[in-house]
Amino acid sequence: MHSERKDHHSSQPRGIPRDKILLFVGLILIGSAIGWLLFKTPDDPKAVTEVHEPTLVGTPLVNQDTPVVKPIQPNPSPQTQTPAPTPPDFTVAETEAVSPPKKPTFGKPTIADLGNGWKKYKGAWFEVDFPETLTPTPSLNPASGTESVFFQSEDKTMDFYAAVTKRREAPKDIRFDSTADSLLLKKERRQGDWIKCFARDRSHIRIYDENFGKKGNSVLGFRFYNWVIHGNNVQDYERFKNSFVHFGE
């Protein structure tokens, strides 16, 4: 009985092994793929490979019909940043912004006749009345920060003095100098000192009055050769002082 089953199997034809069949099928698929790649055309939409725009800075990939828009360039790093170009030099003809500031200018003082033997002197920073027998002689220019004027007699034996200064001290042309003057009397006050002194060379005696305030500083003085001249002109000096007007006040 067993012998009959054996003869039945041996009588059937032998088939192709399974692994050979798989190998054959694989070769066919590979060959088809190679042929498709070799003979594909760009017109085939499935055969066109999509090209992505590069991320690097530069002109993007566009069609010729598309307007080109240049991308904004990023700021270069400090290592590669180029220095800014030097602006051109401007001349005064091109712009007035580079013109140096002009120094303040002061007009000439004016003198007006008041009648009754008196005149009015008007300078840059003050005005004052004075006897017409005296001649105004400017001493310190207002551009220096101080305006001072001596009103001198014709024989030069006496003069009145008026000044406006930015500093909180008497101007140098009237100020007491310990090396050249001798002090007779000094009254210290909150608004300034009152000084009486005489020159050691016996050329004159002088009195001056300091008035320092928040809006400005002024000094009025009287210089004379002797006390007789002082007595003859002291009333005029009082009117002179009372008429003084500081424009800053």
Side-chain angles (χ1 to χ4, degrees), residues 84-151:
T86 303
D89 294 333
F90 293 100
T91 61
V92 177
E94 294 173 343
T95 176
E96 297 182 358
V98 295
S99 302
K102 297 180 180 180
K103 294 182 179 180
T105 56
F106 301 93
K108 293 182 179 180
T110 60
I111 299 175
D113 191 356
L114 301 178
N116 297 324
W118 283 78
K119 294 182 177 182
K120 181 180 291 292
Y121 176 92
K122 185 175 182 180
W125 293 339
F126 68 85
E127 65 181 19
V128 67
D129 299 345
F130 66 97
E132 62 180 6
T133 56
L134 304 181
T135 302
T137 305
S139 178
L140 298 178
N141 192 293
S144 66
T146 299
E147 179 184 18
S148 64
V149 181
F150 286 97
F151 298 83

Side-chain angles (χ1 to χ4, degrees), residues 204-249:
H204 70 273
I205 305 168
R206 71 179 182 272
I207 300 170
Y208 66 88
D209 190 5
E210 300 174 342
N211 292 280
F212 303 143
K214 294 181 179 179
K215 296 183 179 180
N217 308 312
S218 62
V219 179
L220 298 172
F222 183 11
R223 189 170 59 175
F224 46 92
Y225 177 71
N226 55 42
W227 288 105
V228 175
I229 296 175
H230 172 270
N232 293 336
N233 296 276
V234 65
Q235 291 184 352
D236 288 344
Y237 177 61
E238 291 298 323
R239 177 176 173 177
F240 171 83
K241 286 198 306 178
N242 294 332
S243 68
F244 179 83
V245 176
H246 178 197
F247 297 148
E249 297 178 343

